[in-house]
Coordinates of all heavy atoms in Angstrom, one line a residue:
M116 N 140.1 -121.9 -76.7 CA 141.0 -122.0 -75.5 C 140.8 -123.3 -74.9 O 139.7 -123.9 -74.9 CB 140.7 -120.9 -74.5 CG 141.0 -119.5 -74.9 SD 140.6 -118.3 -73.7 CE 138.8 -118.4 -73.6
K117 N 141.8 -123.8 -74.3 CA 141.8 -125.1 -73.5 C 142.4 -125.0 -72.2 O 143.3 -124.2 -72.0 CB 142.5 -126.2 -74.3 CG 142.0 -126.5 -75.7 CD 140.9 -127.4 -75.7 CE 140.6 -128.0 -77.1 NZ 139.4 -127.4 -77.7
K118 N 141.9 -125.8 -71.2 CA 142.5 -125.9 -69.9 C 143.2 -127.2 -69.8 O 142.7 -128.2 -70.1 CB 141.4 -125.8 -68.8 CG 142.0 -125.9 -67.4 CD 140.9 -125.8 -66.4 CE 141.5 -125.7 -65.0 NZ 140.4 -125.6 -64.0
V119 N 144.5 -127.1 -69.5 CA 145.3 -128.3 -69.3 C 145.6 -128.5 -67.8 O 146.1 -127.6 -67.2 CB 146.7 -128.1 -70.1 CG1 147.6 -129.3 -69.8 CG2 146.5 -127.9 -71.6
E120 N 145.2 -129.6 -67.3 CA 145.5 -130.0 -65.9 C 146.4 -131.2 -65.9 O 146.1 -132.2 -66.5 CB 144.2 -130.4 -65.2 CG 143.2 -129.2 -65.0 CD 142.0 -129.7 -64.3 OE1 142.0 -129.9 -63.1 OE2 140.9 -129.9 -65.0
A121 N 147.5 -131.0 -65.3 CA 148.5 -132.1 -65.2 C 148.7 -132.4 -63.7 O 149.0 -131.5 -62.9 CB 149.8 -131.6 -65.8
I122 N 148.7 -133.7 -63.4 CA 148.9 -134.2 -62.1 C 150.3 -134.9 -62.2 O 150.5 -135.8 -63.0 CB 147.9 -135.3 -61.6 CG1 146.5 -134.8 -61.9 CG2 148.2 -135.7 -60.2 CD1 146.1 -133.6 -61.0
I123 N 151.3 -134.4 -61.4 CA 152.7 -134.9 -61.5 C 153.3 -135.2 -60.2 O 152.7 -134.8 -59.1 CB 153.6 -133.9 -62.3 CG1 153.7 -132.6 -61.5 CG2 153.1 -133.6 -63.7 CD1 154.7 -131.6 -62.0
K124 N 154.4 -135.9 -60.1 CA 155.1 -136.1 -58.9 C 155.7 -134.8 -58.4 O 156.2 -134.0 -59.2 CB 156.2 -137.1 -59.1 CG 155.7 -138.5 -59.4 CD 156.8 -139.5 -59.6 CE 156.2 -140.9 -59.8 NZ 157.2 -142.0 -59.8
P125 N 155.6 -134.6 -57.1 CA 156.1 -133.3 -56.5 C 157.6 -133.0 -56.8 O 157.9 -131.8 -57.1 CB 155.9 -133.5 -55.0 CG 154.9 -134.5 -54.8 CD 155.0 -135.4 -56.0
F126 N 158.4 -133.9 -56.9 CA 159.9 -133.6 -57.1 C 160.1 -133.2 -58.6 O 161.2 -132.7 -58.9 CB 160.8 -134.8 -56.7 CG 160.7 -136.0 -57.6 CD1 161.4 -136.1 -58.7 CD2 159.8 -137.0 -57.2 CE1 161.4 -137.3 -59.5 CE2 159.7 -138.2 -58.0 CZ 160.5 -138.3 -59.2
K127 N 159.1 -133.3 -59.4 CA 159.3 -132.9 -60.8 C 158.8 -131.5 -61.1 O 159.0 -131.0 -62.2 CB 158.5 -133.9 -61.7 CG 159.1 -135.2 -61.9 CD 160.4 -135.0 -62.7 CE 160.9 -136.3 -63.3 NZ 162.1 -136.1 -64.2
L128 N 158.2 -130.8 -60.1 CA 157.6 -129.5 -60.3 C 158.6 -128.5 -60.8 O 158.3 -127.8 -61.8 CB 157.0 -129.0 -59.0 CG 156.5 -127.5 -59.0 CD1 155.4 -127.4 -60.1 CD2 156.0 -127.1 -57.6
D129 N 159.8 -128.3 -60.2 CA 160.7 -127.3 -60.7 C 161.2 -127.6 -62.1 O 161.3 -126.6 -62.9 CB 161.9 -127.2 -59.7 CG 161.6 -126.6 -58.4 OD1 160.6 -125.8 -58.4 OD2 162.3 -126.9 -57.4
E130 N 161.4 -128.8 -62.4 CA 161.9 -129.2 -63.8 C 160.8 -128.9 -64.8 O 161.1 -128.3 -65.9 CB 162.2 -130.7 -63.7 CG 163.1 -131.1 -64.8 CD 163.5 -132.6 -64.7 OE1 163.6 -133.1 -63.5 OE2 163.6 -133.3 -65.7
V131 N 159.5 -129.2 -64.5 CA 158.4 -128.9 -65.4 C 158.2 -127.4 -65.6 O 158.1 -126.9 -66.7 CB 157.1 -129.6 -64.9 CG1 155.9 -129.2 -65.8 CG2 157.3 -131.1 -65.0
K132 N 158.3 -126.7 -64.4 CA 158.1 -125.2 -64.5 C 159.2 -124.6 -65.3 O 158.9 -123.7 -66.2 CB 158.2 -124.7 -63.0 CG 158.0 -123.1 -63.0 CD 158.2 -122.6 -61.6 CE 159.6 -122.8 -61.0 NZ 160.6 -121.8 -61.2
D133 N 160.4 -125.0 -65.2 CA 161.5 -124.4 -66.0 C 161.3 -124.8 -67.5 O 161.6 -123.9 -68.3 CB 162.9 -125.0 -65.5 CG 163.2 -124.5 -64.1 OD1 162.6 -123.5 -63.6 OD2 164.1 -125.1 -63.5
A134 N 160.9 -126.0 -67.8 CA 160.7 -126.3 -69.2 C 159.6 -125.5 -69.8 O 159.6 -125.1 -71.0 CB 160.4 -127.9 -69.3
L135 N 158.5 -125.3 -69.0 CA 157.4 -124.5 -69.5 C 157.8 -123.0 -69.7 O 157.4 -122.4 -70.7 CB 156.2 -124.6 -68.6 CG 155.5 -125.9 -68.6 CD1 154.4 -126.0 -67.5 CD2 154.8 -126.2 -70.0
Q136 N 158.6 -122.5 -68.8 CA 159.1 -121.1 -69.0 C 160.0 -121.0 -70.2 O 160.0 -120.0 -70.9 CB 159.9 -120.7 -67.8 CG 159.0 -120.4 -66.6 CD 159.8 -120.0 -65.3 OE1 161.0 -120.3 -65.2 NE2 159.1 -119.2 -64.5
E137 N 160.8 -122.1 -70.6 CA 161.6 -122.1 -71.8 C 160.8 -122.0 -73.1 O 161.3 -121.4 -74.1 CB 162.5 -123.3 -71.8 CG 163.6 -123.3 -70.9 CD 164.5 -124.6 -71.0 OE1 164.4 -125.3 -72.0 OE2 165.1 -124.9 -70.0
I138 N 159.6 -122.5 -73.0 CA 158.7 -122.3 -74.2 C 157.7 -121.2 -74.1 O 156.7 -121.1 -74.8 CB 158.0 -123.7 -74.6 CG1 157.0 -124.1 -73.4 CG2 158.9 -124.8 -74.9 CD1 156.1 -125.2 -73.8
D139 N 158.1 -120.3 -73.2 CA 157.3 -119.0 -73.0 C 155.9 -119.1 -72.5 O 155.0 -118.4 -72.9 CB 157.4 -118.2 -74.3 CG 157.1 -116.7 -74.0 OD1 157.5 -116.2 -73.0 OD2 156.5 -116.0 -74.9
I140 N 155.7 -120.1 -71.6 CA 154.4 -120.2 -70.9 C 154.5 -119.4 -69.6 O 155.4 -119.6 -68.8 CB 154.1 -121.7 -70.6 CG1 153.9 -122.5 -71.9 CG2 152.8 -121.8 -69.7 CD1 152.8 -122.0 -72.8
Q141 N 153.6 -118.5 -69.4 CA 153.7 -117.6 -68.3 C 152.8 -117.8 -67.1 O 153.1 -117.6 -66.0 CB 153.6 -116.1 -68.8 CG 154.6 -115.8 -69.7 CD 154.5 -114.4 -70.3 OE1 153.6 -113.6 -69.9 NE2 155.2 -114.0 -71.3
G142 N 151.6 -118.3 -67.4 CA 150.6 -118.4 -66.3 C 150.3 -119.9 -66.0 O 149.9 -120.6 -66.8
I143 N 150.7 -120.2 -64.7 CA 150.5 -121.6 -64.2 C 149.9 -121.5 -62.8 O 150.4 -120.7 -62.0 CB 151.8 -122.4 -64.2 CG1 152.5 -122.4 -65.5 CG2 151.6 -123.8 -63.7 CD1 153.9 -122.9 -65.4
T144 N 148.9 -122.3 -62.5 CA 148.4 -122.4 -61.1 C 148.9 -123.7 -60.6 O 148.7 -124.8 -61.3 CB 146.9 -122.3 -61.1 OG1 146.5 -121.1 -61.6 CG2 146.4 -122.4 -59.7
V145 N 149.5 -123.7 -59.4 CA 150.0 -125.0 -58.8 C 149.3 -125.2 -57.5 O 149.2 -124.3 -56.7 CB 151.5 -124.8 -58.6 CG1 152.1 -126.1 -57.9 CG2 152.3 -124.5 -59.9
T146 N 148.8 -126.5 -57.4 CA 148.1 -126.9 -56.1 C 148.7 -128.2 -55.6 O 149.0 -129.1 -56.4 CB 146.6 -127.1 -56.4 OG1 146.1 -126.0 -57.2 CG2 145.8 -127.3 -55.2
E147 N 148.9 -128.3 -54.3 CA 149.3 -129.5 -53.7 C 148.1 -130.4 -53.5 O 147.1 -129.9 -52.9 CB 150.1 -129.3 -52.4 CG 151.4 -128.6 -52.5 CD 152.1 -128.4 -51.2 OE1 151.7 -129.0 -50.2 OE2 153.0 -127.6 -51.2
V148 N 148.1 -131.6 -54.1 CA 146.9 -132.4 -54.0 C 147.3 -133.8 -53.5 O 148.5 -134.1 -53.4 CB 146.2 -132.5 -55.3 CG1 145.6 -131.2 -55.7 CG2 147.1 -133.1 -56.4
K149 N 146.3 -134.6 -53.1 CA 146.6 -136.0 -52.8 C 145.6 -136.9 -53.6 O 144.5 -136.5 -53.8 CB 146.4 -136.3 -51.3 CG 147.4 -135.6 -50.5 CD 147.2 -135.9 -49.0 CE 148.2 -135.2 -48.1 NZ 148.1 -135.5 -46.7
G150 N 146.1 -138.1 -53.9 CA 145.2 -139.0 -54.6 C 145.8 -140.3 -54.8 O 147.0 -140.6 -54.3
Y151 N 145.1 -141.2 -55.5 CA 145.7 -142.5 -55.8 C 145.0 -143.0 -57.1 O 143.9 -142.7 -57.4 CB 145.6 -143.5 -54.7 CG 144.2 -144.1 -54.5 CD1 143.8 -145.2 -55.1 CD2 143.3 -143.4 -53.6 CE1 142.6 -145.8 -54.9 CE2 142.1 -144.0 -53.4 CZ 141.7 -145.1 -54.0 OH 140.5 -145.6 -53.8
G152 N 145.8 -143.8 -57.8 CA 145.3 -144.5 -59.0 C 145.9 -145.9 -58.9 O 145.7 -146.6 -57.9
R153 N 146.6 -146.3 -59.9 CA 147.2 -147.6 -59.9 C 148.3 -147.7 -58.8 O 148.6 -148.8 -58.4 CB 147.8 -147.9 -61.3 CG 146.8 -148.1 -62.3 CD 147.4 -148.5 -63.6 NE 146.3 -148.7 -64.6 CZ 146.5 -148.6 -65.9 NH1 147.7 -148.3 -66.4 NH2 145.5 -148.8 -66.7
Q154 N 148.9 -146.6 -58.4 CA 149.9 -146.6 -57.4 C 149.4 -147.1 -56.1 O 150.1 -147.7 -55.3 CB 150.5 -145.2 -57.3 CG 151.9 -145.1 -56.7 CD 152.5 -143.7 -56.8 OE1 151.8 -142.8 -57.3 NE2 153.6 -143.6 -56.3
K155 N 148.2 -146.8 -55.7 CA 147.4 -147.3 -54.6 C 148.0 -147.0 -53.2 O 147.7 -147.6 -52.2 CB 147.2 -148.8 -54.7 CG 146.3 -149.2 -55.9 CD 145.6 -150.5 -55.6 CE 144.6 -150.8 -56.6 NZ 145.0 -151.2 -57.9
G156 N 148.9 -146.0 -53.1 CA 149.5 -145.7 -51.8 C 150.6 -146.6 -51.4 O 151.1 -147.4 -52.2
H157 N 151.0 -146.5 -50.2 CA 152.1 -147.4 -49.7 C 152.0 -147.5 -48.2 O 151.2 -146.8 -47.5 CB 153.4 -146.8 -50.1 CG 153.6 -145.4 -49.6 ND1 153.1 -144.3 -50.2 CD2 154.3 -144.9 -48.5 CE1 153.5 -143.2 -49.5 NE2 154.2 -143.5 -48.5
T158 N 152.8 -148.4 -47.6 CA 152.9 -148.5 -46.1 C 154.1 -147.8 -45.6 O 155.2 -147.7 -46.3 CB 152.9 -150.0 -45.7 OG1 154.0 -150.6 -46.3 CG2 151.6 -150.7 -46.1
E159 N 154.0 -147.2 -44.4 CA 155.1 -146.6 -43.8 C 155.2 -147.1 -42.3 O 154.3 -147.6 -41.8 CB 155.0 -145.0 -43.8 CG 155.2 -144.4 -45.2 CD 155.2 -142.9 -45.1 OE1 155.2 -142.3 -44.0 OE2 155.2 -142.4 -46.2
L160 N 156.4 -146.9 -41.8 CA 156.6 -147.3 -40.4 C 156.8 -146.0 -39.5 O 157.6 -145.1 -39.9 CB 157.9 -148.1 -40.3 CG 158.1 -149.1 -39.2 CD1 156.9 -150.1 -39.2 CD2 159.4 -149.8 -39.3

């Protein structure tokens, strides 16, 4: 058995969930997280 952890953009969640359901994946845990990598955040006003 393997654990797959995917960090994705929030607006892609529904699309990814639907695609996984199409290939008969039933158990998914979803967590809202924050982080940074090469994207390094941004400035806001």
Side-chain angles (χ1 to χ4, degrees):
M116 293 179 296
K117 300 276 193 254
K118 181 177 184 180
V119 175
E120 292 180 76
I122 311 294
I123 63 171
K124 292 183 174 184
F126 69 88
K127 285 291 194 173
L128 175 60
D129 288 334
E130 202 175 326
V131 170
K132 178 185 64 94
D133 292 344
L135 290 170
Q136 285 177 337
E137 283 179 26
I138 62 168
D139 200 31
I140 296 299
Q141 298 177 8
I143 305 170
T144 300
V145 177
T146 311
E147 292 180 14
V148 295
K149 293 181 181 185
Y151 73 91
R153 291 186 179 155
Q154 200 172 1
K155 295 208 171 74
H157 59 280
T158 58
E159 288 188 6
L160 206 57

